[in-house]
Amino acid sequence: TQLLEQSPQFLSIQEGENLTVYCNSSSVFSSLQWYRQEPGEGPVLLVTVVTGGEVKKLKRLTFQFGDARKDSSLHITAAQPGDTGLYLCAGAWEYGNKLVFGAGTILRVKS
Amino acid sequence: DAGVIQSPRHEVTEMGQEVTLRCKPISGHDYLFWYRQTMMRGLELLIYFNNNVPIDDSGMPEDRFSAKMPNASFSTLKIQPSEPRDSAVYFCASSAGRFIGYTFGSGTRLTVV
């Protein structure tokens, strides 16, 4: 059982469509991070959110941290083929510097 | 900065052999992490160091696994003896502090036959 549950597991959409990926947990996290991973490479940090209710925007990507700091979402507007990859959420607790990762959402954007 | 550097990129070894994976973190980062990624279990934290000291090794599967960080610029993860179930991609990551994102290396794909 994953501490962080991501949904959907797989998403295949057409270029130009919008999508939302969810990350849920029963645990409260001090911070939550989103990463994107391409085949053959390590995950790359997209954003860190630390405040309940926080919303961050990164061009076409919008990240939200839930008020109770147990869940998060990633919304992509007008998806492009370059957005294709594995999206991972990861949570950290108050003490230490250990991240636990969700299983990820595989996104495929078709042109 | 060249980022986190891992070597080798690929390793194929026979069951029972010793395997050593290497990592050079980003200069100035005082946290170093070793993760393992498989299709079945995703990314699992094996061990992490702060200022070269092991802080949490609860994710190390068993005594066959050991990790060292002799100085701020180098770490190794050793598996002895290796088993086919150790086949995975092993990532090293470093971080400049708490709540600061990790920078991952490109990983070592280990295959034990």
Side-chain angles (χ1 to χ4, degrees), chain B residues 34-66:
Chain B
W34 282 100
Y35 279 84
R36 178 171 68 177
Q37 187 174 39
T38 61
M39 289 292 292
M40 291 296 295
R41 301 173 71 89
L43 267 169
E44 301 175 281
L45 176 67
L46 301 176
I47 185 171
Y48 82 92
F49 296 83
N50 180 212
N51 293 322
N52 313 338
V53 176
I55 302 300
D56 185 340
D57 65 354
S58 59
M60 295 286 262
E62 48 199 90
D63 291 345
R64 298 185 297 107
F65 285 68
S66 62

Side-chain angles (χ1 to χ4, degrees), chain A residues 2 30-31 33 35 37 40-43 45 48 50 86 88 92-101, chain B residues 9 31 33 35 37 40-43 45 48 56 58 91 95 97-102 104-107:
Chain A
Q2 293 277 350
S30 292
S31 75
Q33 300 176 6
Y35 291 78
Q37 184 178 18
E41 297 297 329
L45 178 70
T48 300
V50 296
L86 174 66
L88 296 156
W93 290 283
E94 182 177 357
Y95 301 104
N97 188 17
K98 184 165 77 170
L99 278 180
V100 289
F101 282 81
Chain B
R9 284 299 308 268
Y31 286 91
F33 308 85
Y35 279 84
Q37 187 174 39
M40 291 296 295
R41 301 173 71 89
L43 267 169
L45 176 67
Y48 82 92
D56 185 340
S58 59
F91 286 103
S95 168
R98 295 182 65 229
F99 302 161
I100 298 175
Y102 294 3
F104 281 81
S106 296

Side-chain angles (χ1 to χ4, degrees), chain B residues 80-93:
Chain B
Q80 166 64 19
S82 58
E83 296 182 4
R85 60 190 168 126
D86 301 331
S87 297
V89 181
Y90 290 80
F91 286 103
C92 175

Side-chain angles (χ1 to χ4, degrees), chain B residues 68-82:
Chain B
K68 293 182 179 180
M69 192 165 185
N71 56 62
S73 60
F74 183 66
S75 177
T76 59
L77 178 68
K78 186 177 293 186
I79 307 172
Q80 166 64 19
S82 58

